[in-house]
Amino acid sequence: MNKKTLPNILKLLCLAVLVIVPATGGLAQTPEADGREFTQPPARKNLSDVRHPDVTKLETEVREQIIGERKVLLDTAADQNSTGEKLGQAYGRMGEIYQLYSFFEAALACYLNARKLEPGEFRWAYLAGKSAQQENKPDEALKIYEEARRIKPDYPTLLVNSGDLYLELNRTDEAAAAYRKALETDEKSAAAIYGLGQIELARRNFLIAAVYFERVLELVPEANRVYYSLGLAYRGQKELEKARVALEKQGPVGVRAADPLFDSLQKHERGARLHILRGKLALEAGRFADSADEYQKALSEEPENIPALVNLGAVLIQMGKEPEAIELFQRAVRIEPKNTNARFNLGMLLALQGKHLEALSHFQTIARENPKDFEARFQIGEQFLRLGRDDEALDEFSQIESEKPELEKALIAKVNILLKKGRYAEVKEALEKSYARFPDHGRTVVLLARFLAASPQYDLRDGARALELAQLVYQTSGSIEHGVLVAMALAEMVKCGEAARWQKAMIERALKAGDRSLAQSLEPDLRRYQNDIPCRP
């Protein structure tokens, strides 16, 4: 396991995961008073029901905050002298609290009532659309946003959010119009510029897309996630060296539109959850020490807070403190044995330490609970390999490939074991079958081309087809590795002179890039192509 890649596959708990803390004290007699789920009937004839969620398992301070806000709403609704504005404010405030703690369905219901009571209040209209968006109801969110625009047409974040939703629905013309409208209001809206770049990238207008992404990075230099899209835009222009540099810079920090209305909800945040939110924001910004400090504060208030334990563990890994991270994941698993994220991260760290049998046990526990967790099942196969149990690893990878054929790494792992066992006909069959279904899987194409050019079983070779595939991947990537593959295919076809010219050109490129070790590793094949007849691999 490459230690540098480990943080990229760690599983984090998002803020929508709620902390489970036993309620204390005696239960009240009504769900309204003790935090159980209940449905509030319409307070006025033109309003709708609100289904208030169960909050009995939230941490004490948050639970009491929500119950208190419910009481205010219920009392206001019961008061026949309450004005529409006062009741609207009560519904809206309740919606804010629910949205803050990720109860999006209840928040949306409250906001919709608040809108009916205060139809000219932009805040309720916008936050209703935001809740629908967070609830993954794009069509409803767009409809609400459109109504909100009639109240305040120049709120940039509303336009960016609409653009994001249109893009999600593949309505690219409407998305582009929304992003451009946002830029009319705020010409430095990095989120809108990024959205336009994504549209042009999808349309294969690579030069224009690159210009947009470059502008985003000028405005928000820390947004290193943008480098991935920029690298794809460069690659589309055949600017392969620029693409390589950009892709090497990619990271976890994205672009987010400034959203004062939504961000203002944080003023209501209570307890450990406030520190979890701050820790998450610091983590996304790459400020690991600050993030760790916030998660520690959350744990000082709530020692068994699972999101804080798991996310602090992930931060400590980024800081090179793996033993401390292991202790945190172990604590989380003891508190909540079925917590997949904590158990998966613990398994990965144990595997990194060479404790493959312990790691295997954790991944198997996850797979028993959820057989569709293919990442955990893949790690089961990996641990079998590390333990020298190749047959069991082969069975696991084969089952994964059968159930989730698009998971390319399972196929690659299976093929590598078959190669090790000398079962070459099965290798060719597996690669051909996968390539036929997923011709865009790059590693599969490369492995198939290499096998057809240099299979240990000569009668399975096909130099002409290997050359076709090798040229295809080289045209796409332009990498030295794939240029060497072209030379290998030419050699199999006994086109020794052409093979030698390709190999020599790749050696020169390696030397020019300062990679003398790579250049030296390519020399023996060059000599064979120049001197041996036939020059087949």
Side-chain angles (χ1 to χ4, degrees):
M1 177 64 63
N2 185 339
K3 183 174 180 179
K4 292 183 179 180
T5 65
L6 181 59
N8 295 327
I9 55 178
L10 288 175
K11 297 187 177 183
L12 305 183
L13 286 183
C14 68
L15 289 177
V17 179
L18 299 174
V19 184
I20 298 178
V21 181
T24 58
L27 288 177
Q29 296 302 309
T30 64
E32 296 95 328
D34 65 31
R36 286 177 288 157
E37 178 182 320
F38 72 98
T39 298
Q40 178 187 357
R44 300 285 190 273
K45 67 178 182 179
N46 65 326
L47 303 183
S48 302
D49 291 346
V50 174
R51 186 166 64 86
H52 294 273
D54 186 326
V55 298
T56 57
K57 294 182 180 179
L58 300 186
E59 56 190 284
T60 302
E61 193 171 1
V62 174
R63 183 175 69 252
E64 291 176 351
Q65 179 190 17
I66 293 175
I67 291 173
E69 203 62 49
R70 284 177 177 179
K71 186 176 187 305
V72 172
L73 173 58
L74 292 170
D75 289 346
T76 306
D79 184 355
Q80 296 301 315
N81 296 319
S82 294
T83 64
E85 179 183 1
K86 184 176 181 181
L87 183 56
Q89 290 288 320
Y91 271 115
R93 165 76 181 219
M94 188 77 256
E96 290 180 330
I97 299 299
Y98 280 146
Q99 188 172 24
L100 177 66
Y101 295 116
S102 303
F103 294 110
F104 302 125
E105 182 180 355
L108 178 58
C110 289
Y111 287 140
L112 292 177
N113 282 341
R115 285 179 58 224
K116 291 176 183 177
L117 292 161
E118 296 188 279
E121 179 58 60
F122 174 75
R123 183 180 188 85
W124 308 141
Y126 174 74
L127 291 175
K130 184 79 171 182
S131 292
Q133 185 174 5
Q134 291 172 306
E135 185 71 1
N136 196 27
K137 296 179 177 178
D139 291 314
E140 185 173 358
L142 283 168
K143 181 180 178 181
I144 297 172
Y145 279 147
E146 190 59 37
E147 295 171 0
R149 285 181 65 181
R150 297 192 187 104
I151 305 171
K152 191 172 183 179
D154 59 349
Y155 189 65
T157 312
L158 186 154
L159 296 163
V160 171
N161 290 350
S162 297
D164 292 344
L165 288 166
Y166 283 129
L167 193 57
E168 178 184 332
L169 295 170
N170 202 31
R171 294 160 61 178
T172 53
D173 290 341
E174 292 162 288
Y179 290 136
R180 292 194 181 98
K181 190 70 176 176
L183 288 173
E184 290 177 13
T185 304
D186 178 9
E187 65 180 10
K188 293 185 177 181
S189 173
I193 297 169
Y194 179 74
L196 289 171
Q198 292 293 344
I199 292 171
E200 296 303 330
L201 186 63
R203 292 173 174 172
R204 303 183 68 79
N205 295 327
F206 299 117
L207 178 60
I208 300 173
V211 171
Y212 281 129
F213 296 138
E214 289 166 348
R215 176 58 175 156
V216 172
L217 288 165
E218 288 177 10
L219 294 169
V220 192
E222 66 271 18
N224 50 21
R225 191 182 302 168
V226 179
Y227 281 110
Y228 176 76
S229 297
L230 180 60
L232 297 182
Y234 285 149
R235 182 181 291 174
Q237 298 176 69
K238 306 300 182 185
E239 296 276 2
L240 301 179
E241 183 59 24
K242 291 174 71 175
R244 183 188 65 78
V245 172
L247 292 172
E248 286 180 352
K249 293 181 179 180
Q250 65 177 303
V253 182
V255 179
R256 178 181 179 271
D259 195 347
L261 278 181
F262 180 69
D263 292 344
S264 70
L265 301 185
Q266 294 176 24
K267 68 178 181 288
H268 304 308
E269 196 96 47
R270 299 284 179 87
R273 197 177 163 82
L274 174 60
H275 297 298
I276 292 174
L277 176 62
R278 291 174 175 171
K280 178 177 181 291
L281 293 174
L283 175 60
E284 290 176 348
R287 295 184 286 106
F288 302 127
D290 292 342
S291 179
D293 184 56
E294 291 295 341
Y295 287 130
Q296 291 283 12
K297 289 177 181 177
L299 289 171
S300 68
E301 294 191 19
E302 186 58 62
E304 295 189 350
N305 187 302
I306 297 297
L309 286 168
V310 174
N311 289 351
L312 177 57
V315 173
L316 291 176
I317 290 172
Q318 296 280 7
M319 299 172 71
K321 299 179 178 180
E322 288 86 356
E324 295 171 56
I326 287 177
E327 291 181 9
L328 289 168
F329 295 140
Q330 288 172 333
R331 278 174 58 190
V333 169
R334 284 195 298 270
I335 295 166
E336 194 174 298
K338 292 185 179 181
N339 188 281
T340 298
N341 295 338
R343 196 174 285 279
F344 184 92
N345 292 352
L346 179 57
M348 293 298 298
L349 287 177
L350 291 172
L352 191 64
Q353 292 186 342
K355 299 176 181 178
H356 301 294
L357 198 57
E358 292 181 56
L360 176 63
S361 175
H362 287 291
F363 296 128
Q364 287 175 326
T365 298
I366 296 171
R368 280 194 297 271
E369 290 292 329
N370 179 17
K372 295 298 183 182
D373 191 327
F374 292 104
E375 287 298 327
R377 289 180 56 186
F378 182 83
Q379 288 302 323
I380 290 174
E382 285 284 291
Q383 304 319 308
F384 279 142
L385 275 181
R386 299 297 182 272
L387 292 166
R389 295 157 63 174
D390 290 6
D391 290 338
E392 291 167 280
L394 180 59
D395 287 343
E396 190 66 45
F397 292 135
S398 297
Q399 289 177 27
I400 295 172
E401 186 205 5
S402 175
E403 296 176 43
K404 194 175 179 64
E406 66 270 25
L407 190 63
E408 187 183 24
K409 63 182 181 181
L411 167 78
I412 301 300
K414 169 185 171 180
V415 163
N416 285 332
I417 297 174
L418 291 173
L419 284 169
K420 181 179 177 181
K421 291 177 171 294
R423 293 159 60 174
Y424 302 122
E426 293 176 62
V427 169
K428 184 176 182 181
E429 180 184 3
L431 290 172
E432 292 281 17
K433 181 179 177 181
S434 182
Y435 176 63
R437 294 187 66 178
F438 306 105
D440 293 332
H441 280 187
R443 294 171 64 197
T444 301
V445 181
V446 170
L447 197 52
L448 177 57
R450 186 178 299 277
F451 182 82
L452 293 173
S455 169
Q457 188 172 328
Y458 278 30
D459 63 351
L460 296 176
R461 294 187 182 188
D462 185 340
R465 186 135 182 278
L467 179 62
E468 177 186 348
L469 295 172
Q471 288 175 327
L472 176 66
V473 295
Y474 182 75
Q475 288 168 6
T476 302
S477 72
S479 72
I480 294 174
E481 174 195 355
H482 297 152
V484 169
L485 191 57
V486 172
M488 186 183 298
L490 288 166
E492 168 57 22
M493 298 172 70
V494 199
K495 295 185 176 182
C496 304
E498 291 181 59
R501 284 191 293 274
W502 270 89
Q503 193 78 356
K504 186 176 181 181
M506 296 304 108
I507 291 172
E508 290 172 352
R509 280 185 56 188
L511 290 171
K512 186 176 181 180
D515 195 339
R516 183 169 296 277
S517 176
L518 175 59
Q520 291 175 344
S521 71
L522 300 179
E523 288 285 353
D525 282 339
L526 174 60
R527 289 193 292 271
R528 176 161 53 82
Y529 299 155
Q530 290 173 329
N531 302 322
D532 294 352
I533 301 295
C535 57
R536 299 170 68 189

